[in-house]
Amino acid sequence: MSFSDIPPKMKALVLEAPGKYSVRWVDTPKPGPYEVLVRVRAVAICGSDPLLLTGKFAGGKYPLFYPMIPGHEWAGEIVALGPGVTEFKIGDRVAGEAHKGCGLCNMCKKGRYNLCENFGNMEKGHRWYGFIANGAYAQYQVYHVKAIHKIPDTMSFEEGAMVDTTAIALHGLKRAGVPPGGTVVIIGPGPVGLCALQCAKALGAGRVIVVGRGHGGRSNRMKVARELGGELVDVEIEDPVSRVLELTNGKGADLVVECSGSEEACSWTVNMVRKGGSIVLIGNYKKPVNYLMSKVVFDEITIYGSRGNPNASDEAINLIASGKINVKKLITHVFPLDEFAKALETFVKRLEGAIKVIVKP
Ligand SMILES: [Zn+2]
Ligand SMILES: [Zn+2]
């Protein structure tokens, strides 16, 4: 495929203003230096997308401009190369990464480009695709070579769209380190939690306890968590802290991973982790969380924040490709881009046991 074969117009989900979005025709973008043009084949709806679409993400701070195209969990194939690209070739199948640092600041120099000091500064080269730069709910999109990763031919585009979520969980676990043979608690069996459960097992955890809502055994998420080898704690029928202590001979877990984003659940973490243990927070908390910090001091507990998924996509791809992480089990629905509204409703209302919903442009 050469440039001349690429249609000048493409279909995209365009956000015009908070709460106002539709699938319509827009100009197909052209790749700049060190960028590629990708034919997007699959995009997974993220929990942040409904917030972004209604102007509620990060207190309405993002996006920075309208109209914009959201979507950041995607896979597709390269159809054109911008000037200077030698890292990829046309036809390469790739999965995307949302964060691309400026490459100039101290955080970027340390490899911590998710914390780029020029965050939101497009002129400095920073990108946060699907949030403050156009993203993947489109037939085509341009991406910098730093924000794409090759996926093997054996991996479907739907699985490729799950690389982002898997890498989010993996980055959190890498921050704290999974204790070999140890006990890990995952709070919140959503897509990130179910990936964290599998990552913890792949990285050598001996036991994984999953804390979630069981809805009297009707919760599809808890069912999947059990099938993936998790021991279940149902907050609707038991006190999560006492139950975790009971399951660990009164000592608590070596590592607690909070993926639910609930302030209440966050306050449980310090009381279910063992002395000298670690906590990773991957949730997005809107209100302050109350707990006595003395527990953290006297038990020498380490708390890690975890943002995005820097330097974790290639490893996530290996874990999925080798079968150590099963993302197919989390994909419950697939819709064409034209049916975005239906796809979003299915995801938000968790219709028909929806866990991860994929959109195909
Ligand atoms: Zn996401
Ligand atoms: Zn930077």
Side-chain angles (χ1 to χ4, degrees):
M1 198 174 195
S2 73
F3 257 126
S4 55
D5 300 323
I6 294 161
K9 294 273 181 192
M10 64 171 190
K11 267 194 217 174
L13 176 76
V14 183
L15 177 60
E16 320 275 358
K20 194 170 170 268
Y21 50 88
S22 61
V23 176
R24 65 171 172 87
W25 293 94
V26 296
D27 289 342
T28 305
K30 287 199 168 49
Y34 309 111
E35 287 180 336
V36 299
L37 182 70
V38 167
R39 175 75 176 92
V40 182
R41 294 294 183 187
V43 196
I45 300 183
C46 175
S48 63
D49 287 336
L51 298 173
L52 192 77
L53 289 167
T54 51
K56 292 188 192 113
F57 184 69
K61 209 163 137 198
Y62 304 114
L64 298 178
F65 62 88
Y66 294 94
M68 72 89 63
I69 302 170
H72 60 275
E73 305 181 1
W74 65 273
E77 59 205 316
I78 295 176
V79 292
L81 307 177
V85 175
T86 54
E87 295 80 359
F88 294 90
K89 56 184 191 313
I90 288 171
D92 278 351
R93 303 167 79 255
V94 293
E97 182 178 345
H99 287 275
K100 185 237 159 216
C102 72
L104 304 166
C105 73
N106 272 309
M107 282 297 110
C108 282
K109 283 195 273 187
K110 287 177 176 159
R112 304 185 73 177
Y113 52 90
N114 54 327
L115 308 178
C116 178
E117 289 167 353
N118 285 313
F119 208 94
N121 189 335
M122 304 278 277
E123 277 169 27
K124 284 281 183 189
H126 179 266
R127 296 287 183 276
W128 193 20
Y129 293 107
F131 293 91
I132 51 179
N134 280 335
Y137 289 122
Q139 291 178 315
Y140 296 90
Q141 195 48 276
V142 290
Y143 287 95
H144 196 278
V145 291
K146 285 183 183 176
I148 52 174
H149 303 268
K150 269 181 208 166
I151 59 171
D153 290 340
T154 50
M155 188 182 289
S156 68
F157 290 121
E158 285 89 340
E159 289 173 284
M162 293 294 294
V163 168
D164 182 281
T165 308
T166 306
I168 296 267
L170 186 60
H171 174 59
L173 292 174
K174 281 167 74 184
R175 293 267 297 142
V178 173
T183 301
V184 177
V185 168
I186 310 283
I187 306 178
V192 172
L194 292 171
C195 285
L197 152 63
Q198 299 185 74
C199 286
K201 285 197 160 267
L203 269 52
R207 289 174 78 184
V208 182
I209 298 168
V210 177
V211 177
R213 296 188 178 278
H215 299 296
R218 297 191 313 278
S219 157
N220 189 32
R221 292 165 186 231
M222 291 289 259
K223 237 179 274 168
V224 172
R226 177 180 281 131
E227 285 163 16
L228 292 170
E231 297 172 50
L232 305 188
V233 172
D234 183 349
V235 301
E236 287 173 339
I237 54 168
E238 50 206 343
D239 175 68
V241 171
S242 335
R243 184 65 185 137
V244 167
L245 292 176
E246 202 174 273
L247 289 168
T248 53
N249 300 320
K251 294 189 190 313
D254 299 284
L255 172 64
V256 178
V257 187
E258 209 305 292
C259 307
S260 77
S262 140
E263 291 83 12
E264 190 195 7
C266 191
S267 71
W268 300 333
T269 59
V270 280
N271 295 316
M272 52 171 71
V273 71
R274 69 179 299 148
K275 289 186 174 187
S278 306
I279 296 167
V280 183
L281 305 178
I282 309 183
N284 186 356
Y285 311 96
K286 280 138 204 107
K287 284 178 267 170
V289 174
N290 270 325
Y291 53 75
L292 199 58
M293 277 290 178
S294 296
K295 178 84 163 53
V296 175
V297 176
F298 295 128
D299 285 355
E300 295 201 342
I301 294 163
T302 310
I303 303 178
Y304 295 89
S306 182
R307 172 178 200 157
N309 49 18
N311 310 304
S313 297
D314 289 325
E315 289 127 332
I317 289 166
N318 287 343
L319 288 168
I320 296 168
S322 64
K324 290 201 169 82
I325 289 181
N326 181 346
V327 289
K328 277 189 212 153
K329 230 177 155 54
L330 312 188
I331 301 171
T332 51
H333 297 76
V334 180
F335 292 95
L337 181 63
D338 284 329
E339 290 176 32
F340 182 81
K342 197 173 160 200
L344 189 69
E345 190 192 8
T346 303
F347 176 75
V348 171
K349 294 188 178 160
R350 300 185 187 175
L351 303 178
E352 302 159 14
I355 298 178
K356 210 62 175 161
V357 176
I358 302 267
V359 172
K360 304 196 84 172

